[in-house]
Amino acid sequence: LYGKMLAETIFEWSKKDGGHAGYIRNFDPSFSFPSGESYWIPPSRGQISSPYPLHPHWGKNRTFIYANQNLAIPSIMPFSKDPNSDYYKMYKAVYDKNKILTQEEMEIAAWWVDDPTEGFAPGGHSYHLASIAVKKSDAKLMKAAETFARTGIAVADAFIHCWKIKYRYFNERPSSFVKKYIDPDWIQFWPEPPFPAFPSGHSTQSAASATTLTALYGDSFAFTDEVYEGKRRYDDIAFLGLRFPARSFTSFKQAADECAYSRFLGGIHTEADNEVGKSEGKKIAENVNALNWTR
């Protein structure tokens, strides 16, 4: 009875964090788009067809860790359409890479897509990696519970912080910049998600989960991720001959780095989106790891 009462109390408290039943209000029809040269626009080739961005208010939600609520907003590279500028070169690099993708690079991009309409969401994939760590190490009950708690808190706070930044800058994705200033006929390798680019959500949450898992299992924990192995996915791009063999890693950081890089390979994020995302995710996780965990 006490356990049930405790769970019900926590659940009622959670309804006030801003994210309760968020799945029934993914898009806000009253959202007002900012206007400017560097701002995001709904994609012509997207994972979801929507004229509105996904969860524009998610960054206002309450984080689990108080310190994560007050992290500073990182700076963004100033917009420029000058071909000699770093901003222009950053998007040109995405365009150039997308023209020479190898088979393995396409498979890496597809492996980490984590489109919830086709498989796991990004957080679910991170939880799967946590379950691999628990099973492979034969973790005792208390360590297993701590593993999932740290991972869950880190991923949740990572997305809130990331979304706060995304909607502060409302930054464009490579597709719109490239089409306006480099190649109007360009189509990026992977359909883009329906929200602004900077920083990458995948990069932020994967770095956060990797940092918590590394603290628990060490920086040389080798494992194999088989989550999509042999599964039929993305029938609309089957002609590419994409395979889904299991992927092996020597550490959680290596997996997080590949996850981030996959977004560049997909043509939907710049390297700056990914690098800032990884940096912010690490900060999030360090605050999680700093809690007084005892077992």
Side-chain angles (χ1 to χ4, degrees):
L1 289 178
Y2 177 74
K4 182 179 180 182
M5 180 190 71
L6 183 64
E8 289 174 347
T9 300
I10 292 173
F11 179 64
E12 288 302 313
W13 177 75
S14 75
K15 290 180 180 179
K16 302 174 184 178
D17 67 7
H20 178 63
Y23 64 92
I24 63 175
R25 44 189 170 81
N26 290 324
F27 301 97
D28 179 3
S30 67
F31 180 79
S32 296
F33 281 75
S35 60
E37 289 186 297
S38 65
Y39 290 139
W40 177 84
I41 59 174
S44 57
R45 182 174 186 246
Q47 292 177 355
I48 297 174
S49 177
S50 171
Y52 304 105
L54 179 68
H55 284 305
H57 312 296
W58 201 260
K60 301 174 185 177
N61 290 351
R62 182 180 65 209
T63 57
F64 280 88
I65 309 301
Y66 181 76
N68 288 337
Q69 193 77 49
N70 298 296
L71 286 173
I73 300 296
S75 61
I76 191 171
M77 191 180 298
F79 171 82
S80 175
K81 54 191 175 186
D82 181 349
N84 294 316
S85 69
D86 290 338
Y87 192 90
Y88 185 101
K89 292 175 182 177
M90 176 174 66
Y91 287 97
K92 179 70 159 46
V94 179
Y95 171 71
D96 289 340
K97 182 60 180 177
N98 253 225
K99 293 191 295 183
I100 57 170
L101 291 175
T102 66
Q103 182 72 20
E104 182 181 14
E105 286 171 337
M106 288 189 287
E107 289 168 5
I108 289 172
W111 184 268
W112 292 102
V113 158
D114 293 328
D115 178 352
T117 66
E118 292 278 355
F120 285 117
H125 201 156
S126 288
Y127 241 61
H128 178 72
L129 300 188
S131 70
I132 290 174
V134 167
K135 292 174 183 177
K136 182 177 179 181
S137 66
D138 196 24
K140 301 301 181 183
L141 177 61
M142 293 304 292
K143 185 172 183 179
E146 183 178 337
T147 298
F148 292 122
R150 287 203 202 195
T151 302
I153 293 171
V155 168
D157 280 8
F159 274 116
I160 292 172
H161 181 57
C162 180
W163 252 241
K164 182 187 296 184
I165 304 168
K166 280 182 181 291
Y167 285 90
R168 171 71 64 86
Y169 293 115
F170 211 69
N171 185 235
E172 64 188 332
R173 288 189 181 266
S175 62
S176 57
F177 183 88
V178 170
K179 288 176 181 177
K180 282 188 289 186
Y181 303 113
I182 300 175
D183 180 353
D185 298 320
W186 184 62
I187 299 176
Q188 78 278 8
F189 172 62
W190 207 262
E192 65 185 70
F195 42 82
F198 180 85
S200 159
H202 273 63
S203 304
T204 308
Q205 71 87 30
S206 63
S209 62
T211 302
T212 59
L213 292 171
T214 298
L216 287 164
Y217 296 95
D219 56 10
S220 299
F221 190 94
F223 65 94
T224 297
D225 178 15
E226 79 308 327
V227 66
Y228 296 123
E229 184 179 18
K231 290 183 171 60
R232 183 176 180 83
R233 302 167 68 207
Y234 306 106
D235 289 339
D236 59 328
I237 59 167
F239 67 91
L240 291 171
L242 294 182
R243 304 178 300 274
F244 294 98
R247 302 197 63 77
S248 295
F249 304 96
T250 59
S251 68
F252 294 110
K253 182 180 183 302
Q254 185 189 40
D257 286 343
E258 183 179 277
C259 175
Y261 187 53
S262 74
R263 311 304 276 170
F264 175 75
L265 296 176
I268 54 181
H269 275 294
T270 66
E271 287 282 46
D273 294 343
N274 296 332
E275 291 304 313
V276 172
K278 288 192 293 182
S279 176
E280 295 302 305
K282 187 172 183 289
K283 294 175 189 176
I284 291 284
E286 287 172 344
N287 287 333
V288 175
N289 291 338
L291 294 177
N292 186 24
W293 297 94
T294 59
R295 56 178 184 273

